[in-house]
Amino acid sequence: MSMASLPIFLCALLIFSLSFHGILAVKYVVIVEAPPNHGGTVKFNTIIGGIPYTQQIMGQINTFIWSTLFQQNTPADRKPVDTIQIFIKDFKGAEGITWGGDRINVSAVYLRDYDGPMATKWEYTSLLYHEMTHVFQWNGEGKAPVMLTEGIADYTILKANYFPPAFAKPGSGDKWDKGYDFTARFLEYCDGLVPGFVAKLNKMMRKTYDVSFFKNLTGKPVEQLWKDYKAKHPGVK
Ligand SMILES: *[C@@H]1O[C@H](CO)[C@@H](O)[C@H](O)[C@H]1NC(C)=O
Ligand SMILES: *[C@@H]1O[C@H](CO)[C@@H](O)[C@H](O)[C@H]1NC(C)=O
Ligand SMILES: [Zn+2]
């Protein structure tokens, strides 16, 4: 390199490192669409801690998903996401829904009416662990069974210790891909056989999905794993 081209080189290096940092920092945007006097908005702003708490916990959940859950230690391993938007919105029929890859709608009606055994702030946090997993997980470009991806999202709340008292107990359910907490408990069993199982399975699901991934990781087909798992917990429905 000639001396004359050195400034250009340094300049290019600076631009590269700035954009590299830009890739690492996910932006968290929270939009409250429900009216200010909606019971869900009022709870969101008071007992939940509003936008500041949401942005802070999104950062924590993001780190948990990358480091602990999926063990993706370099940006190349991760699903590229630059912004996650959360809408607090007046709708019924679901607690929350992830859509468009990186957007999450949280039901203000659900927040208003939640009357479960946990605090509303705890419940909201648990919901964000689940929904943010959908943002970051691979789904085999749409080929993975939805109930497996839902199982992985509930496995996050299990691992993060944000699972409610009614969460499925180990051994429960009638099939491995029943989804949600049932599949989460089965994945917990697989993780006991092969440390980092869920992280490895997620990694394999980047471009495609095949049920043989279970055999590839554990040496046993999924149906055999399910039989072994049920046998380990006799009498659990
Ligand atoms: C989520 O809320 C946004 C903003 O109101 C809306 O445009 C979008 O259609 C909603 N998505 C779903 C899946 O309901
Ligand atoms: C299964 O594992 C083998 C080696 O252990 C590997 O070569 C193969 O690509 C894997 N198959 C899939 C579908 O990932
Ligand atoms: Zn889900």
Side-chain angles (χ1 to χ4, degrees), residues 66-87:
W66 278 345
S67 323
T68 306
L69 186 78
F70 292 151
Q71 299 165 22
Q72 295 165 322
N73 298 317
T74 68
D77 292 335
R78 302 169 184 158
K79 197 164 132 188
V81 172
D82 55 42
T83 305
I84 302 176
Q85 277 177 284
I86 291 191
F87 297 87

Side-chain angles (χ1 to χ4, degrees), residues 121-141:
K121 183 174 187 168
W122 184 100
E123 176 68 16
Y124 172 73
T125 306
S126 176
L127 176 66
L128 293 191
Y129 270 97
H130 177 103
E131 299 301 334
M132 280 182 66
T133 306
H134 288 318
V135 172
F136 289 108
Q137 73 187 162
W138 299 114
N139 70 352
E141 293 189 342

Side-chain angles (χ1 to χ4, degrees), residues 28-61:
Y28 309 118
V29 176
V30 186
I31 298 151
V32 183
E33 278 190 359
N37 62 349
H38 190 291
T41 308
V42 172
K43 266 181 156 179
F44 175 75
N45 286 324
T46 56
I47 57 175
I48 288 175
I51 294 173
Y53 173 73
T54 303
Q55 287 177 318
Q56 176 237 312
I57 203 68
M58 287 170 85
Q60 244 174 268
I61 294 170

Side-chain angles (χ1 to χ4, degrees), residues 137-145 149 202 205-209:
Q137 73 187 162
W138 299 114
N139 70 352
E141 293 189 342
K143 293 189 241 358
T149 59
N202 180 66
M205 285 162 58
R206 186 166 188 150
K207 294 268 175 226
T208 188
Y209 170 81

Side-chain angles (χ1 to χ4, degrees), residues 31 33 87-91 97-100 103-106:
I31 298 151
E33 278 190 359
F87 297 87
I88 309 295
K89 196 180 145 99
D90 188 0
F91 70 97
I97 180 163
T98 300
W99 60 287
R103 279 163 270 188
I104 299 167
N105 293 1
V106 174

